[in-house]
Amino acid sequence: MEKPTGRASIPDAARDTRTSPDPDPDLHPDRGPDRGPSPSPVPLDGGGSAGLADLAGPAGSARSAGLWNRNFRYFFVARTVALFGDGMIPVALTAGLLGAGRPASSVGFALAAWMGPLAVFVLFGGVLADRFTPRRMMVIADVLRLIGASVLAVAFATGNPPLWAVYVLSSVAGVGAALFQPGVASTVPRVSTDVQRANAVLRVAEALMTMAGPAFAGALVGLASAGAVYAANAATFAVSGVCLFLMRLAPAPHDDAVRGTFTAELVDGWREFRARSWLWGVIAVWTVYGFAVLGPMLPLTAVLVTEAHGSGAYGMLMAVNGAGSVVGGLLALRLRPSHPLAAGAVALPLVAVSLLVLALGLPVPVLAAGQLLAGGAAAFWLVMWSTTVQTHVPPQALNRLHAYDVAGSLLMVAAGRALAGPVAEAVGAPELLVAAAVINMGVVAVLLVARPIRRLKRIGHV
């Protein structure tokens, strides 16, 4: 983390322009994002006579028609349906493999076969999204996931598929997710002028789908089979791909830019990453947070709650956590702090509350209150973080930088989950949860003390 300096300005001010960037660079092909700010800058405090939508002009009517314009509607449906489908996967794998008499370890291996390629290939997905446009790569990703889910649907419906086939097809789904995920960040600013509101709406939908997907899959397994769940999962990818295909995005100047080699673009993305101390500072801190807080949180919550109160109580607490995410997303719809990263960090101590009440073994209603607070705090932070990245990073580098963020988060959270059990057995689960709560507060302190992070301002009306 970069040490605070005595300067009043943000160290990255030379690269993160303090006026609003061209709201729709697609409308001005002669002026790329690195050639200076728009002739009509929007002050950071939201003053001035022109907002982002006003600057877009008649040619940008698709984007300036409010949040629910045609492109955002298609993107919202694509994301919502795909997240609904993703929520089905753990249920389908568990029911299909255990129902076929496979050992419980096969479920973990199948999920690892999905997450491993996602973590490894997401960096390459970022480069490919920059080279071939995010929409194109997301459509290709949905086609890959459609094929994989369709084959698994047939395999589970007609018999007992060999484990190697399940692992391979799960890996195909992971590669598809790696190709899809980097493009999400750069698409949001291209389908909405109100980036924060768009992120908040998407976060609310994600929370709802996180609850609805597993519930629907569980009901479908009871009525039919794991094959039926995979068939429904395949249908969600088909809907997502069609919606993305139907979006009509004006070409951005960097879409057709002359590109270097694949390796050169990967290295260039690393340079862009290092050039922004607020960006690499947050991600560096978040690797610790993911490993020491987010990683142990889920498995320890599942074990302690299930052992003390039963699986029904655990399911209820996860639903309450999702409801908290909805509340956090709705709050992010209303609040527009001038320093979004600082505001998001202020919410994160609520996560420590959920860890402490779990460590103390308090009654279920208190645990539910903790989960509600934790879900809301996490959702509010994620909206602030996503909006900041999407509005401060140049469009031509956004996919690659978002890929670095996703890769680091996935790897550290996965490592934290893997080590949570052995460490809890060695030192005790309550002690590990208390340590996680202390680290949570330490992370908040670092985010608020680090000057580039604390002082980074919101851009324009986003």
PDB file of all heavy atoms in Angstrom, residues 36 59 92-93 118 123-124 128 140 153 173 236 247 251 277 319 321 346-347 352-353 392 398 453 458-459:
ATOM      1  N   GLY A  36      -7.516  13.680 -23.514  1.00  0.00           N
ATOM      2  CA  GLY A  36      -7.973  14.829 -22.742  1.00  0.00           C
ATOM      3  C   GLY A  36      -9.438  14.721 -22.416  1.00  0.00           C
ATOM      4  O   GLY A  36     -10.177  13.935 -22.987  1.00  0.00           O
ATOM      5  N   ALA A  59     -27.601  11.819 -30.435  1.00  0.00           N
ATOM      6  CA  ALA A  59     -27.111  10.533 -30.926  1.00  0.00           C
ATOM      7  C   ALA A  59     -27.008   9.514 -29.823  1.00  0.00           C
ATOM      8  O   ALA A  59     -26.950   8.324 -30.069  1.00  0.00           O
ATOM      9  CB  ALA A  59     -25.748  10.716 -31.596  1.00  0.00           C
ATOM     10  N   ALA A  92     -27.445 -28.974  -8.502  1.00  0.00           N
ATOM     11  CA  ALA A  92     -27.489 -30.002  -9.547  1.00  0.00           C
ATOM     12  C   ALA A  92     -26.328 -30.981  -9.399  1.00  0.00           C
ATOM     13  O   ALA A  92     -26.512 -32.204  -9.523  1.00  0.00           O
ATOM     14  CB  ALA A  92     -27.451 -29.335 -10.920  1.00  0.00           C
ATOM     15  N   LEU A  93     -25.129 -30.453  -9.134  1.00  0.00           N
ATOM     16  CA  LEU A  93     -23.974 -31.334  -8.972  1.00  0.00           C
ATOM     17  C   LEU A  93     -24.151 -32.247  -7.761  1.00  0.00           C
ATOM     18  O   LEU A  93     -23.890 -33.458  -7.835  1.00  0.00           O
ATOM     19  CB  LEU A  93     -22.700 -30.504  -8.810  1.00  0.00           C
ATOM     20  CG  LEU A  93     -22.054 -29.974 -10.087  1.00  0.00           C
ATOM     21  CD1 LEU A  93     -20.902 -29.043  -9.750  1.00  0.00           C
ATOM     22  CD2 LEU A  93     -21.565 -31.117 -10.966  1.00  0.00           C
ATOM     23  N   LEU A 118     -11.871 -20.856 -13.992  1.00  0.00           N
ATOM     24  CA  LEU A 118     -12.334 -19.469 -13.886  1.00  0.00           C
ATOM     25  C   LEU A 118     -11.220 -18.586 -13.343  1.00  0.00           C
ATOM     26  O   LEU A 118     -10.937 -17.509 -13.886  1.00  0.00           O
ATOM     27  CB  LEU A 118     -13.567 -19.409 -12.986  1.00  0.00           C
ATOM     28  CG  LEU A 118     -14.074 -18.016 -12.593  1.00  0.00           C
ATOM     29  CD1 LEU A 118     -14.359 -17.174 -13.823  1.00  0.00           C
ATOM     30  CD2 LEU A 118     -15.312 -18.123 -11.715  1.00  0.00           C
ATOM     31  N   LEU A 123      -7.830 -13.822 -16.480  1.00  0.00           N
ATOM     32  CA  LEU A 123      -6.907 -12.799 -16.987  1.00  0.00           C
ATOM     33  C   LEU A 123      -6.865 -12.808 -18.508  1.00  0.00           C
ATOM     34  O   LEU A 123      -6.846 -11.752 -19.153  1.00  0.00           O
ATOM     35  CB  LEU A 123      -5.509 -13.029 -16.418  1.00  0.00           C
ATOM     36  CG  LEU A 123      -5.332 -12.794 -14.912  1.00  0.00           C
ATOM     37  CD1 LEU A 123      -3.907 -13.110 -14.496  1.00  0.00           C
ATOM     38  CD2 LEU A 123      -5.692 -11.364 -14.550  1.00  0.00           C
ATOM     39  N   PHE A 124      -6.855 -13.988 -19.090  1.00  0.00           N
ATOM     40  CA  PHE A 124      -6.889 -14.085 -20.545  1.00  0.00           C
ATOM     41  C   PHE A 124      -8.225 -13.603 -21.086  1.00  0.00           C
ATOM     42  O   PHE A 124      -8.293 -13.008 -22.158  1.00  0.00           O
ATOM     43  CB  PHE A 124      -6.621 -15.536 -20.974  1.00  0.00           C
ATOM     44  CG  PHE A 124      -5.302 -16.066 -20.511  1.00  0.00           C
ATOM     45  CD1 PHE A 124      -5.215 -16.855 -19.376  1.00  0.00           C
ATOM     46  CD2 PHE A 124      -4.134 -15.754 -21.191  1.00  0.00           C
ATOM     47  CE1 PHE A 124      -3.996 -17.339 -18.935  1.00  0.00           C
ATOM     48  CE2 PHE A 124      -2.909 -16.240 -20.760  1.00  0.00           C
ATOM     49  CZ  PHE A 124      -2.831 -17.032 -19.629  1.00  0.00           C
ATOM     50  N   LEU A 128      -8.892 -10.859 -24.069  1.00  0.00           N
ATOM     51  CA  LEU A 128      -9.747 -11.198 -25.214  1.00  0.00           C
ATOM     52  C   LEU A 128     -10.928 -10.242 -25.325  1.00  0.00           C
ATOM     53  O   LEU A 128     -11.331  -9.877 -26.439  1.00  0.00           O
ATOM     54  CB  LEU A 128     -10.242 -12.637 -25.081  1.00  0.00           C
ATOM     55  CG  LEU A 128      -9.178 -13.730 -25.241  1.00  0.00           C
ATOM     56  CD1 LEU A 128      -9.748 -15.094 -24.886  1.00  0.00           C
ATOM     57  CD2 LEU A 128      -8.609 -13.737 -26.655  1.00  0.00           C
ATOM     58  N   ILE A 140     -20.009 -15.622 -26.762  1.00  0.00           N
ATOM     59  CA  ILE A 140     -19.247 -16.870 -26.936  1.00  0.00           C
ATOM     60  C   ILE A 140     -19.241 -17.674 -25.636  1.00  0.00           C
ATOM     61  O   ILE A 140     -19.395 -18.900 -25.643  1.00  0.00           O
ATOM     62  CB  ILE A 140     -17.817 -16.558 -27.405  1.00  0.00           C
ATOM     63  CG1 ILE A 140     -17.833 -15.980 -28.823  1.00  0.00           C
ATOM     64  CG2 ILE A 140     -16.936 -17.809 -27.344  1.00  0.00           C
ATOM     65  CD1 ILE A 140     -16.483 -15.485 -29.300  1.00  0.00           C
ATOM     66  N   ALA A 153     -27.003 -32.244 -18.892  1.00  0.00           N
ATOM     67  CA  ALA A 153     -28.426 -32.540 -18.737  1.00  0.00           C
ATOM     68  C   ALA A 153     -28.765 -33.899 -19.346  1.00  0.00           C
ATOM     69  O   ALA A 153     -29.466 -34.720 -18.733  1.00  0.00           O
ATOM     70  CB  ALA A 153     -29.267 -31.436 -19.386  1.00  0.00           C
ATOM     71  N   ALA A 173     -17.563 -25.063 -18.270  1.00  0.00           N
ATOM     72  CA  ALA A 173     -18.378 -23.993 -17.685  1.00  0.00           C
ATOM     73  C   ALA A 173     -17.499 -22.949 -17.011  1.00  0.00           C
ATOM     74  O   ALA A 173     -17.776 -21.739 -17.077  1.00  0.00           O
ATOM     75  CB  ALA A 173     -19.364 -24.582 -16.685  1.00  0.00           C
ATOM     76  N   THR A 236     -31.059 -20.980 -19.244  1.00  0.00           N
ATOM     77  CA  THR A 236     -30.700 -19.634 -18.776  1.00  0.00           C
ATOM     78  C   THR A 236     -29.553 -19.059 -19.590  1.00  0.00           C
ATOM     79  O   THR A 236     -29.531 -17.853 -19.885  1.00  0.00           O
ATOM     80  CB  THR A 236     -30.319 -19.656 -17.287  1.00  0.00           C
ATOM     81  OG1 THR A 236     -29.133 -20.440 -17.085  1.00  0.00           O
ATOM     82  CG2 THR A 236     -31.449 -20.205 -16.436  1.00  0.00           C
ATOM     83  N   MET A 247     -28.378  -6.688 -27.930  1.00  0.00           N
ATOM     84  CA  MET A 247     -27.952  -5.339 -27.553  1.00  0.00           C
ATOM     85  C   MET A 247     -27.323  -4.645 -28.753  1.00  0.00           C
ATOM     86  O   MET A 247     -26.633  -5.280 -29.552  1.00  0.00           O
ATOM     87  CB  MET A 247     -26.941  -5.389 -26.399  1.00  0.00           C
ATOM     88  CG  MET A 247     -27.545  -5.757 -25.067  1.00  0.00           C
ATOM     89  SD  MET A 247     -26.459  -5.368 -23.662  1.00  0.00           S
ATOM     90  CE  MET A 247     -24.922  -6.107 -24.151  1.00  0.00           C
ATOM     91  N   PRO A 251     -20.007   1.367 -31.523  1.00  0.00           N
ATOM     92  CA  PRO A 251     -18.597   0.985 -31.353  1.00  0.00           C
ATOM     93  C   PRO A 251     -17.814   2.067 -30.632  1.00  0.00           C
ATOM     94  O   PRO A 251     -17.973   3.255 -30.916  1.00  0.00           O
ATOM     95  CB  PRO A 251     -18.110   0.791 -32.786  1.00  0.00           C
ATOM     96  CG  PRO A 251     -19.047   1.605 -33.621  1.00  0.00           C
ATOM     97  CD  PRO A 251     -20.378   1.545 -32.936  1.00  0.00           C
ATOM     98  N   SER A 277      -2.688   3.797  -7.640  1.00  0.00           N
ATOM     99  CA  SER A 277      -2.429   3.311  -6.283  1.00  0.00           C
ATOM    100  C   SER A 277      -3.714   2.993  -5.537  1.00  0.00           C
ATOM    101  O   SER A 277      -3.744   2.080  -4.701  1.00  0.00           O
ATOM    102  CB  SER A 277      -1.603   4.337  -5.506  1.00  0.00           C
ATOM    103  OG  SER A 277      -2.223   5.606  -5.530  1.00  0.00           O
ATOM    104  N   ALA A 319     -30.755 -17.037   3.540  1.00  0.00           N
ATOM    105  CA  ALA A 319     -31.808 -16.236   2.921  1.00  0.00           C
ATOM    106  C   ALA A 319     -31.830 -14.829   3.519  1.00  0.00           C
ATOM    107  O   ALA A 319     -32.024 -13.834   2.803  1.00  0.00           O
ATOM    108  CB  ALA A 319     -33.154 -16.913   3.111  1.00  0.00           C
ATOM    109  N   ASN A 321     -29.240 -13.296   4.770  1.00  0.00           N
ATOM    110  CA  ASN A 321     -28.065 -12.625   4.208  1.00  0.00           C
ATOM    111  C   ASN A 321     -28.379 -12.056   2.830  1.00  0.00           C
ATOM    112  O   ASN A 321     -28.002 -10.924   2.505  1.00  0.00           O
ATOM    113  CB  ASN A 321     -26.892 -13.607   4.136  1.00  0.00           C
ATOM    114  CG  ASN A 321     -25.611 -12.944   3.662  1.00  0.00           C
ATOM    115  OD1 ASN A 321     -25.414 -12.724   2.469  1.00  0.00           O
ATOM    116  ND2 ASN A 321     -24.736 -12.637   4.601  1.00  0.00           N
ATOM    117  N   VAL A 346     -16.691   2.343   5.447  1.00  0.00           N
ATOM    118  CA  VAL A 346     -17.386   2.624   6.700  1.00  0.00           C
ATOM    119  C   VAL A 346     -18.465   1.575   6.980  1.00  0.00           C
ATOM    120  O   VAL A 346     -18.785   1.288   8.146  1.00  0.00           O
ATOM    121  CB  VAL A 346     -17.998   4.046   6.655  1.00  0.00           C
ATOM    122  CG1 VAL A 346     -18.960   4.268   7.804  1.00  0.00           C
ATOM    123  CG2 VAL A 346     -16.888   5.096   6.690  1.00  0.00           C
ATOM    124  N   ALA A 347     -19.015   0.972   5.934  1.00  0.00           N
ATOM    125  CA  ALA A 347     -20.060  -0.037   6.124  1.00  0.00           C
ATOM    126  C   ALA A 347     -19.501  -1.396   6.532  1.00  0.00           C
ATOM    127  O   ALA A 347     -20.211  -2.211   7.139  1.00  0.00           O
ATOM    128  CB  ALA A 347     -20.873  -0.190   4.832  1.00  0.00           C
ATOM    129  N   ALA A 352     -18.007  -7.594  10.653  1.00  0.00           N
ATOM    130  CA  ALA A 352     -17.393  -8.097  11.879  1.00  0.00           C
ATOM    131  C   ALA A 352     -18.448  -8.449  12.927  1.00  0.00           C
ATOM    132  O   ALA A 352     -18.256  -9.382  13.723  1.00  0.00           O
ATOM    133  CB  ALA A 352     -16.410  -7.063  12.430  1.00  0.00           C
ATOM    134  N   VAL A 353     -19.552  -7.728  12.942  1.00  0.00           N
ATOM    135  CA  VAL A 353     -20.628  -8.026  13.897  1.00  0.00           C
ATOM    136  C   VAL A 353     -21.151  -9.439  13.682  1.00  0.00           C
ATOM    137  O   VAL A 353     -21.348 -10.197  14.640  1.00  0.00           O
ATOM    138  CB  VAL A 353     -21.769  -6.995  13.743  1.00  0.00           C
ATOM    139  CG1 VAL A 353     -22.962  -7.396  14.611  1.00  0.00           C
ATOM    140  CG2 VAL A 353     -21.286  -5.602  14.123  1.00  0.00           C
ATOM    141  N   HIS A 392     -13.473   5.373 -13.184  1.00  0.00           N
ATOM    142  CA  HIS A 392     -12.138   5.955 -13.088  1.00  0.00           C
ATOM    143  C   HIS A 392     -11.119   5.303 -14.010  1.00  0.00           C
ATOM    144  O   HIS A 392     -10.088   5.892 -14.298  1.00  0.00           O
ATOM    145  CB  HIS A 392     -11.614   5.877 -11.651  1.00  0.00           C
ATOM    146  CG  HIS A 392     -12.176   6.919 -10.735  1.00  0.00           C
ATOM    147  ND1 HIS A 392     -13.436   6.829 -10.193  1.00  0.00           N
ATOM    148  CD2 HIS A 392     -11.649   8.082 -10.270  1.00  0.00           C
ATOM    149  CE1 HIS A 392     -13.661   7.884  -9.423  1.00  0.00           C
ATOM    150  NE2 HIS A 392     -12.598   8.664  -9.455  1.00  0.00           N
ATOM    151  N   LEU A 398     -10.292  -1.387 -18.989  1.00  0.00           N
ATOM    152  CA  LEU A 398     -11.192  -1.806 -17.917  1.00  0.00           C
ATOM    153  C   LEU A 398     -11.348  -3.318 -17.832  1.00  0.00           C
ATOM    154  O   LEU A 398     -11.353  -3.887 -16.740  1.00  0.00           O
ATOM    155  CB  LEU A 398     -12.554  -1.140 -18.113  1.00  0.00           C
ATOM    156  CG  LEU A 398     -13.612  -1.373 -17.031  1.00  0.00           C
ATOM    157  CD1 LEU A 398     -13.061  -1.046 -15.651  1.00  0.00           C
ATOM    158  CD2 LEU A 398     -14.842  -0.547 -17.319  1.00  0.00           C
ATOM    159  N   ILE A 453      -7.017   6.036  -1.397  1.00  0.00           N
ATOM    160  CA  ILE A 453      -8.310   5.361  -1.336  1.00  0.00           C
ATOM    161  C   ILE A 453      -9.346   6.255  -0.663  1.00  0.00           C
ATOM    162  O   ILE A 453     -10.454   6.445  -1.167  1.00  0.00           O
ATOM    163  CB  ILE A 453      -8.171   4.020  -0.571  1.00  0.00           C
ATOM    164  CG1 ILE A 453      -7.189   3.097  -1.302  1.00  0.00           C
ATOM    165  CG2 ILE A 453      -9.527   3.343  -0.404  1.00  0.00           C
ATOM    166  CD1 ILE A 453      -6.812   1.860  -0.512  1.00  0.00           C
ATOM    167  N   ARG A 458     -15.986  10.717  -6.216  1.00  0.00           N
ATOM    168  CA  ARG A 458     -16.951  10.267  -7.218  1.00  0.00           C
ATOM    169  C   ARG A 458     -16.862  11.172  -8.445  1.00  0.00           C
ATOM    170  O   ARG A 458     -16.694  12.381  -8.335  1.00  0.00           O
ATOM    171  CB  ARG A 458     -18.371  10.331  -6.642  1.00  0.00           C
ATOM    172  CG  ARG A 458     -19.474   9.928  -7.582  1.00  0.00           C
ATOM    173  CD  ARG A 458     -20.802   9.842  -6.829  1.00  0.00           C
ATOM    174  NE  ARG A 458     -21.207  11.120  -6.278  1.00  0.00           N
ATOM    175  CZ  ARG A 458     -21.978  11.995  -6.927  1.00  0.00           C
ATOM    176  NH1 ARG A 458     -22.408  11.716  -8.135  1.00  0.00           N
ATOM    177  NH2 ARG A 458     -22.307  13.128  -6.357  1.00  0.00           N
ATOM    178  N   ILE A 459     -16.996  10.570  -9.616  1.00  0.00           N
ATOM    179  CA  ILE A 459     -16.942  11.340 -10.861  1.00  0.00           C
ATOM    180  C   ILE A 459     -18.359  11.718 -11.293  1.00  0.00           C
ATOM    181  O   ILE A 459     -19.216  10.849 -11.456  1.00  0.00           O
ATOM    182  CB  ILE A 459     -16.239  10.546 -11.975  1.00  0.00           C
ATOM    183  CG1 ILE A 459     -14.738  10.522 -11.723  1.00  0.00           C
ATOM    184  CG2 ILE A 459     -16.527  11.159 -13.336  1.00  0.00           C
ATOM    185  CD1 ILE A 459     -13.946   9.846 -12.819  1.00  0.00           C
TER     186      ILE A 459
END
